[in-house]
Amino acid sequence: MKDTRFRLESLLQFADQLVDLMTLQLSALERSLLSAREAAADVSRRLRHERAAVLKQTAEGGFRPPEIASVWAYLERLERRAAELKESAAALEAAVARKRDELLAAEKERRMLLKLKEEFEAAVRAELNRRHQQFLDELAGGRHFRSRHEQ
């Protein structure tokens, strides 16, 4: 009988491992994205709060000229940090989308290999069943032949 071992088994195992690895990488990227979004939201909230405080204190006349420069520099740093964090989150979103696409492609390949394996196993079972039936037919034919000639 021909080889009953699925020749692409090692490739299927590799595809399984690849899907597992990519799933872990995707979840790590998603956690990083969540952290980046939270950090950006925190900085944006702090910036809004600080602007409101500066406007309130300015309206009350609480700043002297040297303090105004340092307050505006602080607000500008917060604005830059918020922009950096938003850019970082956007880059992570793109990386998550790419990794998700890669994972989908790897899962598709894995499913294709699984289907090939199932088809191979079905063909092997059919061949075994055919040979078994052939053996039974020969056995029954032999008995029939012997019973005819023994009479």
Side-chain angles (χ1 to χ4, degrees), residues 4-13 16 109-125:
T4 59
R5 186 173 133 347
F6 183 57
R7 292 182 185 161
L8 300 176
E9 185 66 36
S10 60
L11 185 59
L12 178 60
Q13 290 173 353
D16 285 338
E109 184 174 328
R110 182 181 156 274
R111 283 191 306 270
M112 178 197 58
L113 288 169
L114 279 172
K115 184 173 177 147
L116 287 173
K117 182 178 181 180
E118 290 169 0
E119 291 172 358
F120 174 78
E121 289 172 346
V124 167
R125 277 192 304 275

Side-chain angles (χ1 to χ4, degrees), residues 81-98:
R81 182 68 181 144
E84 289 170 0
L85 288 171
K86 286 178 184 176
E87 288 175 17
S88 174
L92 283 169
E93 285 175 3
V96 165
R98 279 191 308 276

Side-chain angles (χ1 to χ4, degrees), residues 135-148 150:
F135 172 75
L136 292 177
D137 290 346
E138 288 174 3
L139 189 62
R143 282 188 183 164
H144 179 70
F145 180 74
R146 278 192 303 252
S147 68
R148 288 248 179 199
E150 288 178 355

